[in-house]
């Protein structure tokens, strides 16, 4: 089944993006105001199976301290292992590749499925870090493709 992928800037898509993000990243929940502000600087998308949100993605352009574009694809646990992650990743990857010569991703260490997905798609770990007040690190991985 093909996903419907929509870029979100405002409106109901923001709530769907928030729902997915906050379920998968409970250590760093985001408010709608923060998401709305990020949508002005980054590409935020939601993937739908019919009208049901199954995932969200972020494409972040390179920054001074990170010359790579960052592509983060999140799929809700109930919708994993159905091919949605591959479809979503394949659709969003060209947006990241258009911004930089290399692509990174970030996965919460406790998200074993996300880490397995990144490693299977040619990413290798480059860094682990903790956000202030958190105990579960984020893992930055860089793609070996290109």
């Amino acid at each position: 089944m093909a996903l419907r992928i929509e870029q979100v800037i405002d409106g109901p898509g923001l709530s769907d993006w928030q729902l997915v993000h906050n379920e998968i990243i409970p250590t760093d929940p985001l408010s709608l105001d923060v998401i709305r502000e990020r949508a002005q600087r980054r590409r935020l998308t939601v993937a739908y199976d019919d009208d049901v949100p199954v995932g969200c993605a972020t494409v972040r352009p390179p920054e001074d301290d990170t010359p790579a574009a960052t592509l983060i694809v999140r799929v809700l646990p109930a919708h994993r292992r159905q091919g949605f992650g591959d479809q979503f990743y394949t659709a969003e990857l060209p947006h990241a590749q258009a911004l930089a010569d290399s692509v990174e991703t970030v996965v919460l260490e406790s998200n074993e499925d996300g880490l397995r997905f990144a490693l299977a798609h040619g990413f290798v770990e480059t860094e682990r870090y903790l956000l202030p007040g958190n105990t579960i690190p984020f893992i930055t991985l860089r793609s070996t493709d290109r």
Side-chain angles (χ1 to χ4, degrees):
M1 172 166 280
L3 289 177
R4 176 172 50 90
I5 299 170
E6 293 186 8
Q7 185 172 359
V8 296
I9 296 171
D10 211 343
L14 286 175
S15 295
D16 291 339
W17 194 97
Q18 179 189 41
L19 172 100
V20 175
H21 176 277
N22 289 352
E23 181 172 333
I24 296 173
I25 312 293
T27 60
D28 189 27
L30 298 177
S31 70
L32 285 175
D33 288 339
V34 168
I35 297 165
R36 191 174 290 110
E37 186 274 325
R38 286 185 181 186
Q40 302 306 310
R41 299 178 287 115
R42 302 171 181 175
R43 177 180 166 82
L44 304 183
T45 53
V46 177
Y48 296 92
D49 179 18
D50 289 322
D51 290 328
V52 176
V54 299
C56 74
T58 300
V59 175
R60 185 170 56 214
E63 298 170 346
D64 292 339
D65 60 340
T66 307
T70 302
L71 169 58
I72 304 167
V73 173
R74 300 173 196 90
V75 175
L76 291 167
H79 301 284
R80 293 179 184 164
R81 294 187 168 87
Q82 299 175 47
F84 294 137
D86 282 325
Q87 287 181 55
F88 203 7
Y89 173 76
T90 299
E92 293 302 302
L93 183 59
H95 297 283
Q97 290 174 325
L99 299 173
D101 290 334
S102 59
V103 176
E104 292 182 343
T105 193
V106 180
V107 179
L108 190 62
E109 182 186 58
S110 60
N111 181 354
E112 293 175 7
D113 288 334
L115 187 56
R116 193 171 20 260
F117 182 91
L119 294 171
H121 285 81
F123 287 81
V124 295
E125 182 177 337
T126 59
E127 175 187 18
R128 287 178 183 244
Y129 63 92
L130 280 172
L131 293 178
N134 285 346
T135 58
I136 302 171
F138 283 91
I139 303 171
T140 301
L141 304 103
R142 179 162 291 170
S143 176
T144 56
D145 294 341
R146 258 226 181 194

